[in-house]
Amino acid sequence: MEDMTTKPARDPRNLLKRMRLLMAVQENAQARLDHLTALIAEEAGWDVCSIYLSRQSNALELCATYGLKRAAVHSVRLQPGEGLVGLVARRARPLATSNARAHPSFSYKPETGEEPFDTFVGVPILRGGRMVGVLTAQTSVERQVAGDEIETLQTVAMVLAEIVASGDILDSEEMAGLDVRQSRPERFQGGAYSGGVAQGVAVLFEPHVESTRLIADDPASEEKRLDAAISSLRSSIDEMLEGGRIPFGGPTRDVLQAYRMFAHDRGWLERLLEAVRRGLTAEAAVERVRNENRARLMKASDPLFRERLHDLEDLANRLLRHLDGAGAALELPDNAIIIARNIGPAELLDFDRAKLKGIALEEGSASSHAAIVAKALGIPLVGRLEGALDRAENGDPVILDGEFGILHIRPQPDVVETYEARVVALSERRLSYAELRGPSVTADGQRIGLHMNAGLLIELTALEETGADGVGLFRTEFQFMVAETLPRLSAQAAVYKSVLDASGDKPVIFRTLDLGGDKVAPFAPSTIEPNPALGWRAIRMGLDRPGLLRYQLRALILAAAGRPLNVMFPMIAAPWEARAAREMLNKELRHATQSGHDLPSEVRCGIMLETPGMAWALQYALDDVDFVSVGANDLMQYFYAADRQNTRVSERYDVLAPAALNLLKHVRDLCAKHDTPVSVCGEIAAKPLEAAVLIGLGYQSLSMASGNIGPIKKLVSGLDAGKLGTWLAKHLDKPVDSLRPLLIEAGEKAGLPREAIENGRGI
């Protein structure tokens, strides 16, 4: 800023109180803005106060003034960057000068009559980080502008942003064409992580400060509230870092360390306190500082600055949640489509599922646990939509395309019409899948078992709807992750019994607790690790803390009394772990016998193969297990050393590369040699081309999200598995990066049905 000195200003709190009273007066839009400029000039001691608002052309229009010529209102427009007002808008920060006409950016507009006014100050009017206008003040006395005068105008500008965005301002005839709220159609292309199409209204997943809660009744009490919330925020970050209990689906340790740094940054804290002391509520102070950070950092070309903006955004959201009690689940309107930077599965489960129609994320990945839960609930989810939060407003009409990974915000009528036709087509397609409820058989007569993955009791209704052969993976950890304390034995057994009841005669494979890494239960033992994905998790935690695992096995045995029980241990990385886990299961079976409990009619023990090391040592474990499930998500993650939660690397590899396919073939052949049933569970089992290749390699059992069973069953019916197996045998040793293009080119000659070819091409 220029020409600034410290100079006492009038108490801004009285100005804000008078503004609040003015907001309650019923009057037309122009009169309200006129009264606002007069009030600001009077209370702050300026000769002139003017409001310039953005138009859809990006020009700034003079919409109200006190002190300049009335005829200039709605007549004077400044082009982007023009004059001192345009400079304020371009920089998104205040500007003050005691000699406006001498400034190199000065632009003279004779129709305003501003010649006598030498001293000028302008501050941006920001809403959601967007530039919606500029508030200016002028005086005929040539003087230096004090820093607290600028602070007062910035505080007023924040309240003003909500006033000008209100319905009566925007709906008025004289304000037609303003760009105060987002109004242009926006289209974002991202990744399709859970299928389906949803039409609804945008709900931004960040605390929103209502316009009625901007101005404080008691600034002293607001300062105390802010201090308490900051202390609570710091404590929660310290607890997560030092206790190692990073929330499921939450930020990484590196991000939390950045949060800690920002939470103790004196500059950030002083800006918050100054805003409160000038009459804003604690929430409004956080919103104001966040708006300023957004406006400045969004203009930065350096991606590191934009990454810092994300950290500051999350920190502000956390602070707002501490202010409102850290609390309550977000109330959703009907047909809500959540737009967020990221979201954890536990948070997703908190929403009213009758109202939640879709999830749009700026981050996310296909194999993230939020995507897994979204698929389980049948909710479309699209990720990697960078910038969507900045372009959406709460209540905007939106269309979310989970088939092609597209988000439309404020779509035009022709787009809406097109998607309405697609919704009808998708509905008809689902009906066609519903007709395929019988056994899944390839065109050349091979029977393929198609099982569904689940983690919630509500999902099991899909067993009948899809005709799935059973539950190939029931994730037991969700019950633990949403509980503050370890679920009691009776509560665990009740859940497992309900799952078995709901599945009827169809088999269910229960995977024991897969905690650790990015999945942390509040009560579970934890530790600080530099690389949690490769650390103390899953079966490692169960074997080292046997009480937790044996307690769960005891509940499973009680639940399965008189019925078959299939137990699968996750992330077995060495044969001795498989033997140790089975022995733990045997101990609990002996305990049940000694206690007089009814035993399961049959017990089968399996392992989830998720590490390359275990793939090459599998022959030494097959005598101790009854079945194997290839956990393709983690297996490929470790095979390619690419974190599946990291969007920068999660899609850098192709599972149809010869090396990966040879690994999968090795596992299948080894299990066939030992007469051990083997299946594939994960994303690749749900993709038509990849699923076809798995069947071509000899896999006869696949497990996937319920929504994928219909499409894969249709694929299977047109697949010549024998022909594809012959084709693969001739090409697995090809020196190519991936067999995908060769498969697509070969098409039907390789036994592929149309669905697999189109999927491979991205059609």
Side-chain angles (χ1 to χ4, degrees), residues 73 179 206 216 221 238 246 284 309 359 366 401 407-408 489 524 569 604 640 664 674 712 720 754:
V73 174
D179 194 28
E206 59 181 25
S221 67
D238 289 344
I246 298 173
L309 170 62
I359 303 284
D401 186 339
L407 172 67
H408 292 275
L489 183 69
F569 297 102
R604 296 173 70 241
Y640 284 104
L664 292 168
H674 287 75
I712 297 301
D720 188 328
R754 178 173 54 84

Side-chain angles (χ1 to χ4, degrees), residues 449-520:
L450 297 183
H451 300 76
M452 62 174 280
N453 299 335
L456 304 168
L457 187 60
I458 191 175
E459 297 176 68
L460 298 184
T461 57
L463 272 173
E464 181 63 27
E465 295 170 4
T466 62
D469 293 308
V471 180
L473 167 66
F474 190 88
R475 304 177 183 90
T476 60
E477 56 269 9
F478 287 151
Q479 180 190 14
F480 291 76
M481 292 186 314
V482 297
E484 290 299 319
T485 58
L486 175 68
R488 290 181 174 273
L489 183 69
S490 58
Q492 291 185 46
V495 170
Y496 306 144
K497 183 177 183 299
S498 296
V499 171
L500 291 169
D501 290 342
S503 66
D505 295 332
K506 295 184 176 181
V508 179
I509 295 177
F510 291 96
R511 185 180 69 186
T512 61
L513 286 175
D514 188 12
L515 293 175
D518 62 340
K519 291 178 285 187
V520 177

Side-chain angles (χ1 to χ4, degrees), residues 588-663:
E588 286 307 314
L589 288 168
R590 291 194 291 270
H591 176 272
T593 301
Q594 294 166 2
S595 301
H597 296 305
D598 290 338
L599 294 178
S601 60
E602 177 190 9
V603 177
R604 296 173 70 241
C605 175
I607 61 172
M608 181 159 264
L609 194 156
E610 300 171 87
T611 65
M614 189 61 201
W616 296 110
L618 185 59
Q619 66 268 32
Y620 305 116
L622 290 179
D623 289 340
D624 298 298
V625 302
D626 301 306
F627 63 91
V628 174
S629 178
V630 178
N633 292 347
D634 272 342
L635 180 62
M636 291 298 105
Q637 167 179 252
Y638 297 131
F639 186 72
Y640 284 104
D643 181 2
R644 65 191 179 102
Q645 302 285 353
N646 185 337
T647 55
R648 292 180 177 177
V649 299
S650 62
E651 296 185 14
R652 291 178 67 92
Y653 61 82
D654 192 338
V655 296
L656 297 186
L661 294 181
N662 275 299
L663 176 69

Side-chain angles (χ1 to χ4, degrees), residues 547-564:
L548 182 63
L549 180 55
R550 289 188 62 180
Y551 202 55
Q552 183 184 28
L553 292 173
R554 188 170 299 180
L556 285 165
I557 292 168
L558 289 173
R563 292 185 284 195

